[in-house]
Amino acid sequence: MALIAPSLLASNFLRLEDECKMLNNSVADWFHLDVMDGRFVPNISFGLPVIEQIRTATTKTLDVHLMIEEPEKYAEAFAKAGANILTVHIEACRNLHRNVQQIKDLGMKAGIALNPHTPISSLVDIIEDIQLVTLMSVNPGFGGQSFIPYTLQKIKQLSQLIAERGIHVDIEIDGGVTLANAKEIIAAGATVLVAGNTVFKSANPIETIAALKGL
Ligand code: DX5
Ligand code: ZN
């Protein structure tokens, strides 16, 4: 059974309070919040003021996925806004170890996200310092894209690396997760599933979350 982290990028922003209540009433574990700056990815989503508001609407874990350049400039502000987990992209960090320490010093769990082209081997010297790896199973920037099948091999490689070290690090899969492919993703070793469109565009999001959780 994996943790379920619905991505509010696919929610109805006009009804954000209701969407938060729906997630509160569901078996969703984390709120996955996608922050985009129009530089690291070719899209702009939402930022600090929205996350501050969401913080007042839930006690569940806020899993903040930063798709931004220079994330070190904003880590403190995201901590103040209420983030529990802060994930930065390896491709956006020149001083990744320092950034990870900063996130932990601010009292948050540290995550590292890898784009589809970034190998698992790039984590070997940092894996013991972090709590979460987010493997992008689409190119980041947009919801509603198709799952890249090669991700399954990366999940297996990462599970093996974590097992070899004898540590616990969550493996989160982000992009194109559906009810049809989630089982295979979990079997490969994923411990957290992000789901945007699959949850929010379904006829019954609460049931869809429960179905994902039941796999
Ligand atoms: C993509 C984001 C994802 C996205 C997932 O850049 O990081 O979290 O919202 O959306 P779906 O589940 O619709 O692919
Ligand atoms: Zn994301």
Side-chain angles (χ1 to χ4, degrees):
M1 188 191 289
L3 300 179
I4 308 301
S7 165
L8 280 101
L9 188 63
S11 71
N12 182 340
F13 295 144
L14 277 179
R15 300 177 50 250
L16 196 50
E17 188 176 12
D18 293 337
E19 301 281 45
C20 290
K21 283 182 185 159
M22 181 278 290
L23 292 182
N24 287 339
N25 292 330
S26 78
V27 293
D29 298 279
W30 298 352
F31 283 34
H32 184 83
L33 303 173
D34 288 303
V35 178
M36 304 179 185
D37 66 353
R39 291 176 65 213
F40 182 71
V41 286
N43 198 6
I44 298 174
S45 56
F46 53 78
L48 292 158
V50 174
I51 293 177
E52 278 168 26
Q53 301 274 316
I54 292 172
R55 180 72 286 172
T56 68
T58 189
T59 57
K60 293 195 185 191
T61 294
L62 297 188
D63 168 34
V64 177
H65 176 193
L66 296 183
M67 285 161 274
I68 68 173
E69 301 282 0
E70 300 183 295
E72 67 279 3
K73 285 192 181 170
Y74 305 97
E76 189 172 354
F78 281 103
K80 287 197 177 127
N84 301 106
I85 305 169
L86 199 64
T87 298
V88 294
H89 266 266
I90 199 166
E91 303 86 1
C93 294
R94 293 217 180 97
N95 296 287
L96 183 62
H97 185 270
R98 179 183 291 149
N99 297 357
V100 162
Q101 298 309 320
Q102 177 198 28
I103 291 168
K104 293 193 293 188
D105 288 346
L106 287 164
M108 298 177 285
K109 290 188 174 172
I112 296 178
L114 265 54
N115 274 341
H117 72 277
T118 302
I120 297 301
S121 58
S122 59
L123 291 169
V124 292
D125 292 327
I126 193 84
I127 190 78
E128 298 189 24
D129 292 300
I130 58 176
Q131 284 78 48
L132 172 77
V133 176
T134 300
L135 295 182
M136 294 308 303
S137 37
V138 299
N139 287 292
F142 304 91
Q145 303 181 80
S146 300
F147 182 85
I148 298 171
Y150 181 68
T151 312
L152 291 170
Q153 274 166 259
K154 292 178 76 177
I155 301 171
K156 287 177 195 159
Q157 286 172 27
L158 179 56
S159 304
Q160 201 180 335
L161 173 65
I162 292 168
E164 278 167 14
R165 300 292 179 93
I167 53 178
H168 178 79
V169 179
D170 273 310
I171 301 177
E172 177 177 69
I173 305 308
D174 189 3
V177 174
T178 66
L179 280 166
N181 63 20
K183 204 166 184 164
E184 199 177 6
I185 294 168
I186 295 167
T191 60
V192 188
L193 301 181
V194 174
N197 280 264
T198 291
V199 166
F200 287 99
K201 308 292 190 234
S202 74
N204 189 330
I206 289 206
E207 277 177 19
T208 302
I209 294 165
L212 285 167
K213 184 102 180 173
L215 292 171

